[in-house]
Amino acid sequence: MSAEERPEALTPDFYLFSIPSMKITVFNGSIHAKRGNTQLMVDAFAAGAGEAGAQVEMVFLAKKNIRPCTACMSCWTRTPGACPVKDDMEELLPKFIGSDIVVMATPIYVDNVTAILKLFIDRLVPLIDPHMETDENSEVCHRKRFDHYPELVVISSCAFPGLAQFQIINAYFKRVAYHMHARVIAEIYRDAAMMLKLWEKTPMKPFVDNYKTLLAVAGREIVKTRALSEQTVRQISQPFVPQEIYIDEVNKYWDRRIAKAEIRGHDTPLSIS
């Protein structure tokens, strides 16, 4: 939609366009877009969801022009529901609010979501009303701007072993969901995720294929029940290998990469400013 075509103030009717019985939109916050471990997980999940009858759309945030929120508050005052910043959020806001389920996909960067996913989430502010109210637990939140908000699924990968790596985003997305009048219906966390790519062309590939199969099962369950079974949660959370073996394999990988790197005449590693 061009700037000329966009209404001065977007109304709920603008966002709630005709959608199929279940519309799932994946917002992938990985800088690697289609090439990363996170997308490997998303592809398998989406395949299962598609088999169950959902329409799945992929949005690679790394390929979008999303500028930071300027906190001008115009989306709450001058043009309610519409951000004055001219960038790709004009097309992404309707995708978000028009979905039944939104998948937030991100690798762990410094214990949190990626910068581009955080930018995207910050820019969702036009979708809520500035007025405050208290909920049944006396907690303060913003009022709804729309009658419908999508439910959330979180898919995340981390190179470090251990599910403790996801503590921060676990809490973060629960708060995001609360303030967006939504709920997190599933979390799929893959620690030791470097094995997903490293094993694809090794005798360990069947382990990766089995994990993809489990992710497809998760996708089907989300479409059918909007939840993951206890069995699926347990299976997709199982470690690939003992932590000590994983650490050893990862360190060998980095030794190989460092040995192949071009030093370009420097006897010591280049400093990063």
Side-chain angles (χ1 to χ4, degrees):
M1 176 182 296
S2 68
E4 292 76 21
E5 294 172 324
R6 191 179 71 170
E8 184 179 25
L10 299 184
T11 64
D13 289 340
F14 173 82
Y15 291 102
L16 298 180
F17 45 80
S18 177
I19 57 177
S21 58
M22 177 166 285
K23 173 73 165 69
I24 299 176
T25 305
V26 180
F27 294 97
N28 186 339
S30 172
I31 195 67
H32 298 296
K34 298 180 181 181
R35 299 183 295 107
N37 292 316
T38 303
Q39 187 59 28
L40 182 149
M41 297 171 64
V42 166
D43 282 338
F45 175 89
E51 290 169 5
Q55 177 185 337
V56 183
E57 180 178 1
M58 303 282 184
V59 177
F60 297 99
L61 297 178
K63 299 181 180 297
K64 299 296 182 179
N65 173 31
I66 303 176
R67 294 164 58 191
C69 175
T70 62
C72 68
M73 305 306 175
S74 292
C75 64
W76 284 352
T77 55
R78 290 179 51 248
T79 57
C83 179
V85 177
K86 305 291 196 251
D87 60 13
D88 289 336
M89 286 302 295
E90 289 183 76
E91 66 173 274
L92 299 184
L93 285 174
K95 290 182 185 295
F96 180 93
I97 202 66
S99 300
D100 295 297
I101 294 174
V102 160
V103 177
M104 296 289 197
T106 180
I108 296 294
Y109 282 9
V110 195
D111 286 304
N112 212 326
V113 301
T114 60
I116 51 178
L117 182 58
K118 182 60 167 62
L119 277 177
F120 170 74
I121 293 172
D122 286 350
R123 294 286 303 282
L124 296 178
V125 169
L127 301 181
I128 54 177
D129 187 282
H131 298 91
M132 295 183 183
E133 62 186 9
T134 55
D135 64 12
E136 62 274 12
N137 298 315
S138 298
E139 185 171 354
V140 179
C141 60
H142 285 288
R143 293 178 189 169
K144 291 182 177 181
R145 187 178 295 280
F146 302 95
D147 293 329
H148 161 88
Y149 286 84
E151 295 176 306
L152 302 184
V153 171
V154 182
I155 294 179
S156 183
S157 64
C158 181
F160 269 74
L163 293 178
Q165 310 301 330
F166 303 96
Q167 289 177 340
I168 291 176
I169 70 165
N170 169 270
Y172 174 63
F173 279 113
K174 283 181 170 57
R175 297 305 301 171
V176 169
Y178 173 77
H179 286 290
M180 293 301 299
H181 297 279
R183 66 188 181 105
V184 177
I185 59 173
E187 298 167 272
I188 301 175
Y189 297 140
R190 180 69 270 164
D191 63 316
M194 285 183 69
M195 292 294 97
L196 292 175
K197 290 290 187 179
L198 292 179
W199 281 359
E200 277 196 308
K201 296 181 181 180
T202 74
M204 303 299 285
K205 184 178 183 296
F207 287 90
V208 178
D209 291 340
N210 181 65
Y211 182 64
K212 290 179 180 178
T213 298
L214 292 173
L215 290 171
V217 170
R220 289 194 291 271
E221 288 182 353
I222 287 297
V223 174
K224 293 177 179 179
T225 68
R226 294 181 183 252
L228 298 181
S229 66
E230 292 183 4
Q231 177 179 343
T232 297
V233 171
R234 183 171 61 254
Q235 290 178 327
I236 61 178
S237 301
Q238 289 294 315
F240 284 145
V241 295
Q243 180 172 292
E244 296 76 15
I245 295 176
Y246 177 76
I247 292 173
D248 184 59
E249 289 298 317
V250 169
N251 287 342
K252 289 177 181 177
Y253 164 80
W254 284 113
D255 286 342
R256 292 193 298 270
R257 285 199 59 175
I258 291 170
K260 292 179 180 179
E262 295 181 0
I263 306 303
R264 297 186 181 181
H266 292 270
D267 295 329
T268 57
L270 295 173
S271 62
I272 301 177
S273 59

